[in-house]
Amino acid sequence: MTFPKFEYLAPQTLDEAISILEEKGPEVRVMAGGTDLLVKMRQGLLKPRTVVSLKRIQGLDKISFDRKDGLRIGATALLADVASHPSVRSHYPAVAYAASETANVQIRNMGTVAGNLCNAAPSADNAPVLTAMGACVVLAGPRGERCLPLDAFFLGPGLTAMEPSEILTEIRVPFPRRGTGTSYQHLSARGKVDISAVGVGVMLRVEGKTCREAGIILGAVAPTPLRARRTEKLLVGKSLTADLLERAGRSAAAESAPISDVRATASYRRKMVAVLTRRALSEAYERARRNAKKR
Amino acid sequence: MMKHSITLTVNGDRYTLAVFPWRTLNEVLREDLNLTGTKRGCGTGDCGACTVMVDGRTVSSCLTLAVDVDGKEILTVEGLAPDGERLHPIQEAFIEKGAIQCGFCTPGMEMSALYLLSNHPRPGEREIRHGLSGNLCRCTGYNKIVEAVAEASRRMEKNNGAPGGGRKP
Ligand SMILES: Cc1cc2nc3c(=O)[nH]c(=O)nc-3n(C[C@H](O)[C@H](O)[C@H](O)COP(=O)(O)OP(=O)(O)OC[C@H]3O[C@@H](n4cnc5c(N)ncnc54)[C@H](O)[C@@H]3O)c2cc1C
Ligand code: FES
Ligand code: FES
């Protein structure tokens, strides 16, 4: 079980990395932490001729925050560093939590949030909350930069809207408006260190008890992270009673489109979507109310 | 395909090596440097038997390319007891608490324990279990390992956290 042979390049600038991708064509793969890429190569699912490591590119691991620009997570920022970053923890607790619940200690010291998104597993733990919060990703390519909302980024299992010669350089998450709360709830077979069987990311904005905005993203129950649009509509403009949250859970379950696989059956997943959506909404609501009072 | 020249500092010693890009840190440690304390189990990041530290953080050496850690400082289980005689307090605690059976998971467990204790010198049981969640053991049932890490934490605190030489006076 050794790796297939490949050429390794570690450019020091983004421009250099993009030119390599352009020049080498489809047989090249970008690598951040390698915790998805190298596993797939080990299993013979991928056989790139060239691997381009992003880790030597200066500044790409930066995590920055201010109230105007919000949060910016660089492509090589480690899951562990996102999870423990003080500003992420205080202003984006569900983003920090999702990162802290991804994989295990060692993998979080290697893997990145950006890699988790680019790998585009339907179960990616960091996708639901970031999408619910309206995050976008900066993609740099030969023709310059573009910023794409995560809603338009995921196309299918392992498939994204990135061009082959593009590199995701940064994840941008807007600063949450007053009265906003978020939550991530997930389940997996082996405690929580395993790939999630179901994950639900929620963002709510409230005025008093009334819901003004709702973002609900379901993970691992469709070919991509799935926005539960009907459930979001069900909440906006209404008073967030326990009964409404319960109904929202059932509505999200109805919107989900799970399959049965090694991690769980479709019917279990659907039931858990209802439970986790209700829990996520109720945690997000609590946080939203606290947030509305605080500032 | 070309070999790359890399420099690694392993347990304080500098090595310059020529390696193919597809070789893992695990293979280079075990096969080129003869440091066979670090094990290789699954090869896919699941078991933790291959855990080493790179620049002070634990990683799975089976999923780390040697070329990718060029210039970095590596600590392996051999580095816990550099003179080969006086054991690290974590190692002493593992022995005393019966946390070792076949021993295959032990080097990885001890590296994870060291990482945990460097960040949380006095972890509770939950924190210990969390800190070891990337390491599997087929033999002990984990309880003895958790006890050993708690014991190591007490010893290292007495010792001002200094690694090595955790003997009682
Ligand atoms: C034991 C184990 C447990 C795991 N548990 C979980 C879990 O609980 N939850 C979970 O969601 N995931 C889990 N994973 C999967 C993986 O660790 C995560 O998806 C991780 O975030 C991937 O990040 P990386 O930097 O290692 O990505 P890499 O492996 O480096 O890259 C992943 C993919 O994205 C591409 N890519 C990476 N960065 C960029 C970029 N900046 N621009 C363009 N393309 C890019 C690569 O070409 C590759 O196709 C686990 C993996 C292992 C080995
Ligand atoms: S051998 Fe590396 S995690 Fe199992
Ligand atoms: S002691 Fe045998 S695997 Fe842990």
Side-chain angles (χ1 to χ4, degrees):
Chain A
M1 272 225 302
T2 49
F3 290 120
K5 297 181 175 158
F6 56 85
E7 166 195 38
Y8 169 91
L9 297 168
Q12 306 209 337
T13 67
L14 193 60
D15 287 346
E16 212 186 312
I18 294 167
S19 332
I20 295 170
L21 296 187
E22 234 192 335
E23 185 190 309
K24 302 272 177 182
E27 305 225 39
V28 55
R29 279 281 168 163
V30 163
M31 180 172 84
T35 62
D36 276 313
L37 181 66
L38 293 176
V39 171
K40 287 183 185 165
M41 286 167 64
R42 179 86 84 197
Q43 293 166 341
L45 299 173
L46 284 177
K47 291 191 178 103
R49 274 236 214 119
T50 306
V51 169
V52 181
S53 171
L54 297 180
K55 279 196 275 194
R56 306 269 161 186
I57 301 175
Q58 283 276 318
L60 210 58
D61 62 349
K62 203 165 146 196
I63 303 170
S64 64
F65 167 77
D66 66 56
R67 281 170 190 256
K68 191 171 122 284
D69 293 331
L71 173 65
R72 297 180 172 207
I73 302 172
T76 52
L78 299 177
L79 287 159
D81 290 340
V82 172
S84 65
H85 194 283
S87 307
V88 183
R89 289 171 63 114
S90 62
H91 300 293
Y92 302 84
V95 172
Y97 177 74
S100 79
E101 290 281 300
T102 306
N104 60 44
V105 181
Q106 294 90 320
I107 301 296
R108 287 194 295 275
N109 280 338
M110 308 165 74
T112 61
V113 175
N116 191 236
L117 301 180
C118 292
N119 188 58
S123 60
D125 275 312
N126 298 274
V129 175
L130 289 171
T131 311
M133 292 190 78
C136 66
V137 287
V138 180
L139 306 176
R143 279 168 302 280
E145 251 185 30
R146 56 180 179 139
C147 198
L148 197 68
L150 276 181
D151 270 310
F153 181 73
F154 300 108
L155 301 182
L159 267 185
T160 70
M162 262 189 303
E163 301 285 335
S165 51
E166 279 183 321
I167 291 173
L168 190 165
T169 56
E170 190 175 82
I171 302 159
R172 294 185 181 165
V173 203
F175 183 64
R177 290 174 61 185
R178 188 193 170 95
T180 297
T182 56
S183 173
Y184 183 58
Q185 300 289 327
H186 71 125
L187 273 179
S188 70
R190 236 181 80 198
K192 289 192 172 177
V193 298
D194 207 355
I195 309 281
S196 290
V198 183
V200 177
V202 158
M203 183 205 68
L204 287 177
R205 187 168 62 80
V206 300
E207 279 169 16
K209 287 189 174 173
T210 309
C211 174
R212 290 297 173 208
E213 254 182 279
I216 302 171
I217 308 290
L218 313 177
V221 291
T224 62
L226 178 75
R227 187 175 283 277
R229 291 190 191 279
R230 271 179 285 144
T231 311
E232 292 175 354
K233 279 211 190 99
L234 180 71
L235 298 177
V236 175
K238 301 226 180 69
S239 177
L240 292 169
T241 59
D243 178 58
L244 182 62
L245 300 192
E246 190 76 42
R247 273 200 291 147
R250 286 199 298 275
S251 159
E255 285 192 74
S256 69
I259 55 165
S260 295
D261 66 10
V262 289
R263 296 196 192 98
T265 62
S267 81
Y268 176 75
R269 281 193 158 104
R270 203 184 288 278
K271 287 188 181 120
M272 289 307 111
V273 168
V275 175
L276 297 186
T277 301
R278 177 170 43 75
R279 282 187 198 160
L281 286 170
S282 109
E283 180 173 63
Y285 182 39
E286 273 303 306
R287 285 178 172 166
R289 293 184 49 161
R290 254 182 283 143
N291 177 279
K293 278 185 209 143
K294 218 162 46 182
R295 289 189 268 180
Chain B
M1 300 281 171
M2 197 181 69
K3 279 195 180 181
H4 292 243
S5 170
I6 61 167
T7 304
L8 302 179
T9 305
V10 183
N11 304 329
D13 298 326
R14 265 170 75 94
Y15 300 90
T16 300
L17 304 154
V19 295
F20 282 118
W22 52 86
R23 297 195 71 221
T24 62
L25 176 60
N26 189 263
E27 289 160 354
V28 168
L29 290 171
R30 291 179 54 83
E31 294 161 15
D32 299 10
L33 303 182
N34 255 332
L35 294 168
T36 54
T38 303
K39 302 304 177 212
R40 149 91 192 254
C42 63
T44 49
D46 293 292
C47 75
C50 66
T51 304
V52 301
M53 280 205 199
V54 174
D55 284 354
R57 303 172 78 139
T58 46
V59 303
S60 303
S61 63
C62 71
L63 286 185
T64 302
L65 298 179
V67 282
D68 229 22
V69 291
D70 182 16
K72 308 256 179 203
E73 292 221 12
I74 320 291
L75 184 73
T76 70
V77 69
E78 287 89 350
L80 291 185
D83 64 8
E85 294 195 7
R86 275 155 64 90
L87 294 181
H88 189 281
I90 293 176
Q91 295 173 307
E92 289 184 334
F94 267 64
I95 295 170
E96 249 169 64
K97 292 285 172 187
I100 305 174
Q101 288 188 25
C102 80
F104 194 82
C105 70
T106 309
M109 285 285 182
E110 292 182 346
M111 297 314 287
S112 288
L114 179 63
Y115 182 64
L116 171 70
L117 294 175
S118 348
N119 295 311
H120 302 273
R122 286 188 78 38
E125 183 184 333
R126 239 183 88 84
E127 274 177 298
I128 295 177
R129 289 187 184 271
H130 243 258
L132 301 179
S133 63
N135 295 76
L136 299 183
C137 174
R138 305 168 297 178
C139 309
T140 63
Y142 300 100
N143 287 339
K144 305 259 178 207
I145 296 177
V146 173
E147 283 170 30
V149 175
E151 173 62 21
S153 136
R154 289 188 285 273
R155 287 177 185 223
M156 285 167 73
E157 191 160 65
K158 249 191 230 157
N159 213 25
N160 277 329
R167 290 268 160 84
K168 285 175 213 123

